[in-house]
Amino acid sequence: HTQVASASFNVAEDITYRNDTTTGTEVVNRYEEVGKLRSEGNLAGMESLLSRNNWEGTYPVNEVKEGSNAERTISTETLKEIKSFAPNRPELEADAQMPSVADVGAADATMNLYELIEFDENDIAQKDEAGMLKVDFDDERWTEYLDILTVNEMMSLTMNGAFQTKALPSIGLLPAFVSDGPVGFVYFMAATEATNPVYKTCAYASECVIAATWNVELAYAMGESVGNEGLIGNEVAEGRPTSDDRPYTGWYAPAVNIHRTPFSGRNFEYYSEDPMISGALAAEVVEGARSKGVYTELKHFAVNDQETNRSGVCTWLTEQSLREIYLRPFEVAVKKGGSTGIMSSFNRIGTRWTGGDYRLLTEILREEWGFRGTVITDFNTESFMDTKQMAYAGGDLNLATTDQSWRVDKNNSTDLNVLRNATKNILYTTVTSNAMNGCGEGCYLVEYYAWWEIAFVCILIGQVVLCAVWGIFAVRGALKAEKLGVNKK
């Protein structure tokens, strides 16, 4: 932090971005309350903001005397905010409209999601510039698909997102594999070598090594290579009873948090201390993976820049540093890379858990940046990660292996609209990905079951039929023999 040079210059007028340059949405401060709570919340050591202009004078100094509880003391109001599960989402007028929700699920697919994909006159599926299947997010037919689904089906989809998206047979949705982590596909679940659905995949260089190259072409090539592995997927192989030739579809990567200190426990998963380098390289990885139909879930959104005690920690910062440093890599990877997935984080910004923060997940991510897709939680192992708060904030998918469903009031239009929106976001991410490869009329039966499973069922049915026929002839023969025996006497 030693200054070696400086320069002064003047600008003709203040430079102000009133609207997002991509979406045109008005940009306003979202986190002034964080600064207010910081300054008025009796938070020891946070009375001043760290500044480059006065590094020595603003660096926090521990002046708490031994035996004092000042560092462990906060105001009642701040504690109340930390413990609150109340949504910070404003009421929307559109929520007053009661949507249509099915009472009983359809036994078979009456509509197939693949029909939403754009085809040309030769029935060839169209792709966007990045290589993902083209689907209109605003297509009016989405409503028809959502109307088929029951509340239970939508809850099953949104609440069980650990390394998968679940199948929805009623609309022809196939199950999809989703994998960790930033150095390539790694299935983070307890499984034997023979039953692990993700296997024989590459381990690539860590992100900080890739960032040290400053090589955007290399970053794209890495993403493309991961995408190719996704296409190979869970290839049927001898000794692998769970193989079913499904692709690897989702990828919990790349990770774009900041090297806030050289000693952070996850720096190997993050690119850099510089937000623009991080964003530029991540965007290339995202584009490379998307060119093969693999969707990425950028993580950890946001301000998850320490590993020790990161779960639930309150992070305090200004709106300017939030946007210029910590959100910028995500913004670049969303706008340039086109990521259709985001993973929220364990920490709080101020007092609000990021995965339950409407300002972050909806107002900034979706409205300002124009993000279309799925927001998934980090692994939901903590009591403060409330799934209703998540859904109301704009989160879609709960990364969990246990049931953590929130109670949906079927008579509450807001509850139902929130659930339907989350479902649509997940379906959109999936239907634009390689999960739809090979899909067409009747694809659900063919794709959901492996060939050997179908063959086994056919053989079993054949055996049952043969046994039934044999039984009929055997009974007829016995009756005939018995009758002949009686007549002979």
Side-chain angles (χ1 to χ4, degrees), residues 360-420:
L360 183 68
L361 303 188
T362 298
E363 292 178 333
I364 292 177
L365 177 64
R366 298 187 190 275
E367 295 177 359
E368 287 187 20
W369 299 351
F371 173 80
R372 294 291 182 268
T374 301
V375 176
I376 187 173
T377 68
D378 206 334
F379 217 135
N380 195 337
T381 57
E382 306 295 334
S383 59
F384 64 83
M385 299 169 75
D386 183 72
T387 53
K388 181 173 183 178
Q389 189 183 57
M390 172 206 84
Y392 266 65
D396 308 303
L397 193 57
N398 185 36
L399 203 171
T401 55
T402 58
D403 183 22
Q404 298 171 343
S405 300
W406 54 286
R407 188 179 297 278
V408 176
D409 183 352
K410 295 182 180 180
N411 296 315
N412 185 305
S413 61
T414 305
D415 276 10
L416 294 177
N417 280 311
V418 163
L419 181 59
R420 283 165 63 94

Side-chain angles (χ1 to χ4, degrees), residues 420-436:
R420 283 165 63 94
N421 286 338
T423 301
K424 177 186 174 181
N425 290 331
I426 298 169
L427 295 179
Y428 175 79
T429 299
T430 306
V431 79
T432 57
S433 73
N434 68 23
M436 304 305 290

Side-chain angles (χ1 to χ4, degrees), residues 223-266:
E224 187 178 38
S225 184
V226 170
N228 282 327
E229 291 187 276
L231 288 175
I232 296 170
N234 191 15
E235 194 173 35
V236 173
E238 185 177 353
R240 303 197 65 83
T242 59
S243 299
D244 61 4
D245 262 345
R246 294 296 301 154
Y248 304 150
T249 297
W251 183 31
Y252 296 156
V256 293
N257 293 113
I258 295 297
H259 292 191
R260 191 170 183 269
T261 163
F263 307 108
S264 178
R266 278 206 186 185

Side-chain angles (χ1 to χ4, degrees), residues 24 99 110 187 211 259 269 286 345 374 438:
T110 55
Y187 197 70
H259 292 191
E269 282 195 10
V286 169
S345 52
T374 301

Side-chain angles (χ1 to χ4, degrees), residues 106 178 184 200 213 218 261 286 347 440:
V178 183
K200 290 187 177 179
T213 70
L218 185 65
T261 163
V286 169
N347 60 287

Side-chain angles (χ1 to χ4, degrees), residues 287-301:
E287 284 193 275
R290 290 184 74 229
S291 71
K292 304 298 180 179
V294 170
Y295 65 79
T296 54
E297 291 181 300
L298 296 164
K299 63 183 187 182
H300 307 85
F301 193 55

